[in-house]
Amino acid sequence: MALSIAIVGLPNVGKSTTFNALTKEQNAEAANYPFCTIEPNKAIVPVPDTRIDQLTEIVKPERVMHATVEFVDIAGLVRGASKGEGLGNQFLGNIRECAAILHVVRCFEDENVTHVEGSVDPIRDIETIETELLLADMQGIEKRIENLQKKAKGNDKEARAMLAVAEEMLRHMDGGHPVSTFEHSDAVALERLLREGRFLTAKRIIYAANVEEGELLEDNHLVKKVRDYAAEKNAEVIKLCAKIEEEMAGLSDEERMEFLNDMGVEQSGLDQIIRKGYEMLGLISYFTAGVKEVRAWTIERGWKAPKAASVIHNDFEKGFIRAEVTSFEDFVKHGGDAKCKEAGAMRLEGKEYVVQDGDVMHFRFNV
């Protein structure tokens, strides 16, 4: 599994510039006019992880495979997008496929950069986008209710249960509340409705406050407003300067770190986004390390060994016997598999073992 993040925002807030910077691509046109992005841009990005570098130094494999994140940059959403205004409504389906949303918010003043609303107000901008996402979800649940009503008339008990939940959900949304805050006593019907509906307002959000270069170290008044808003919504906030991120796109990892250090900044925008994304979605990485390949695999925190093995191949889960497990720290300390075995640092774990972040694993299976 891979983390997937949709980049949304009003036109001209720095979405495409951010996409280009994060993905080190230059295929998303960035210009000072609305709807510069027409077709959704997609890119697969390796997850920065220094542990991979350490494992590679020890094992010296033929190839190295990082965990990945997919970024999807869609056209700028505007007021009325859910009813067909602008172009963004064409690509709401792309957001539905993603696990999380990166909402780029303009937190800088620049009279040379046009704002579609005529002024800079990050909270108004956020609410404009989130209203459109909510309206799109309401359209979706209304269609779902129509289908469930037809099935319920045929004495379909499951449809009747889901219909009751769907109708309550619609009332909840009609009050201006996102799906993420909706609860219901019928957990089974709710879980299925959420799974099938892929609601936009059920997704976790990271607000990316896009600031000027000189405002990275200390929050300006606009960023403070975004942080206060996010705290009320239990959402995450990062601060970045899209222009600087784009300037760093062509640098090596070492040059990038030196550039950031010179500015007094600890992490790039990409590092912040991925770290926040993993944390809020409960994702971790384990590793496989052999002479042919060192690779990071993304799983959900709490997965047991057979389920974790399934991300390599379904047969690994079906025929799981046991796993050879070494903590990352022990693997580095002892210098590889052989020395870990000698030191007693490698363990054999069964089907009930809960995989930990950084585990170095080899699976034994039989199909």
Side-chain angles (χ1 to χ4, degrees):
M1 62 183 298
L3 174 61
S4 56
I5 299 177
I7 303 178
V8 305
L10 290 172
N12 285 8
V13 297
K15 278 190 321 81
S16 296
T17 301
T18 300
F19 175 84
N20 287 336
L22 298 179
T23 63
K24 298 183 181 180
E25 299 282 348
Q26 296 300 322
N27 59 356
E29 187 179 358
N32 183 24
Y33 56 87
F35 311 121
C36 174
T37 301
I38 297 178
E39 294 298 326
N41 299 294
K42 297 184 180 182
I44 305 294
V45 179
V47 173
D49 194 332
T50 57
R51 296 176 297 181
I52 282 276
D53 300 328
Q54 292 175 266
L55 293 175
T56 300
E57 183 64 27
I58 294 169
V59 178
K60 294 179 171 53
E62 294 176 11
R63 68 173 183 171
V64 178
M65 299 290 288
H66 286 253
T68 59
V69 174
E70 180 183 53
F71 285 102
V72 181
D73 174 35
I74 70 162
L77 297 170
V78 295
R79 199 181 303 277
S82 60
K83 298 179 180 179
E85 293 295 326
L87 298 171
N89 63 300
Q90 299 176 31
F91 309 118
L92 292 178
N94 295 102
I95 306 177
R96 294 190 193 282
E97 300 300 322
C98 294
I101 292 174
L102 178 69
H103 187 162
V104 180
V105 186
R106 178 171 168 176
C107 290
F108 64 89
E109 302 276 2
D110 188 339
E111 61 183 19
N112 295 316
V113 180
T114 306
H115 192 293
V116 292
E117 296 283 0
S119 62
V120 178
D121 182 342
I123 305 307
R124 177 204 60 208
D125 294 353
I126 289 173
E127 291 176 342
T128 295
I129 297 294
E130 294 185 348
T131 295
E132 295 307 319
L133 298 182
L134 183 63
L135 290 172
D137 277 350
M138 291 177 68
Q139 291 174 7
I141 198 67
E142 286 169 352
K143 292 179 181 178
R144 186 74 172 127
I145 287 172
E146 289 178 9
N147 292 332
L148 289 169
Q149 286 173 335
K150 294 175 183 177
K151 292 181 179 179
K153 289 179 180 178
N155 203 30
D156 185 326
K157 293 182 180 179
E158 187 176 28
R160 282 209 300 263
M162 288 184 65
L163 176 60
V165 176
E167 288 175 337
E168 281 196 41
M169 181 184 286
L170 178 59
R171 287 193 289 272
H172 175 83
M173 295 160 70
D174 197 38
H177 307 295
V179 174
S180 60
T181 61
F182 177 70
E183 297 178 352
H184 197 278
S185 58
D186 190 338
V188 175
L190 176 59
E191 192 279 331
R192 181 175 172 184
L193 196 63
L194 291 172
R195 184 178 68 251
E196 294 177 356
R198 297 179 299 168
F199 298 103
L200 303 173
T201 61
K203 299 184 184 299
R204 296 297 300 272
I205 296 177
I206 302 172
Y207 296 110
N210 185 15
V211 300
E212 292 285 9
E213 179 178 339
E215 298 174 332
L216 274 175
L217 296 181
E218 188 172 341
D219 289 353
N220 63 30
H221 70 287
L222 299 173
V223 175
K224 290 176 181 177
K225 287 183 178 181
V226 174
R227 291 196 189 280
D228 290 343
Y229 182 89
E232 294 178 2
K233 302 289 184 178
N234 192 30
E236 300 286 350
V237 179
I238 68 155
K239 183 168 60 173
L240 56 77
C241 174
K243 291 179 182 178
I244 290 178
E245 296 287 335
E246 195 169 39
E247 287 176 17
M248 293 191 297
L251 302 180
S252 66
D253 290 342
E254 294 77 14
E255 290 171 332
R256 232 166 71 247
M257 285 308 302
E258 185 177 347
F259 187 93
L260 290 170
N261 289 336
D262 288 344
M263 296 186 62
V265 178
E266 294 182 0
Q267 288 186 313
S268 69
L270 175 62
D271 292 339
Q272 292 181 69
I273 291 162
I274 291 175
R275 180 174 59 82
K276 290 286 189 184
Y278 267 63
E279 287 176 358
M280 72 184 192
L281 295 174
L283 302 178
I284 62 173
S285 294
Y286 74 85
F287 304 99
T288 50
V291 292
K292 289 188 176 296
E293 178 184 85
V294 165
R295 184 165 185 165
W297 303 89
T298 301
I299 63 171
E300 293 182 18
R301 188 179 297 279
W303 277 12
K304 295 180 179 179
K307 181 69 172 176
S310 71
V311 300
I312 299 176
H313 197 286
N314 287 335
D315 287 346
F316 280 35
E317 180 179 19
K318 295 175 184 176
F320 180 88
I321 299 174
R322 63 181 62 91
E324 297 175 352
V325 184
T326 308
S327 72
F328 170 78
E329 291 75 16
D330 281 341
F331 195 94
V332 173
K333 176 183 175 182
H334 297 291
D337 278 334
K339 293 181 180 178
C340 283
K341 287 181 181 179
E342 291 175 9
M346 180 181 287
R347 315 182 307 276
L348 286 179
E349 299 286 0
K351 293 181 178 180
E352 295 304 308
Y353 176 69
V354 177
V355 177
Q356 302 300 304
D357 186 38
D359 277 350
V360 182
M361 308 185 72
H362 297 285
F363 295 102
R364 298 182 185 180
F365 70 102
N366 182 32
V367 178

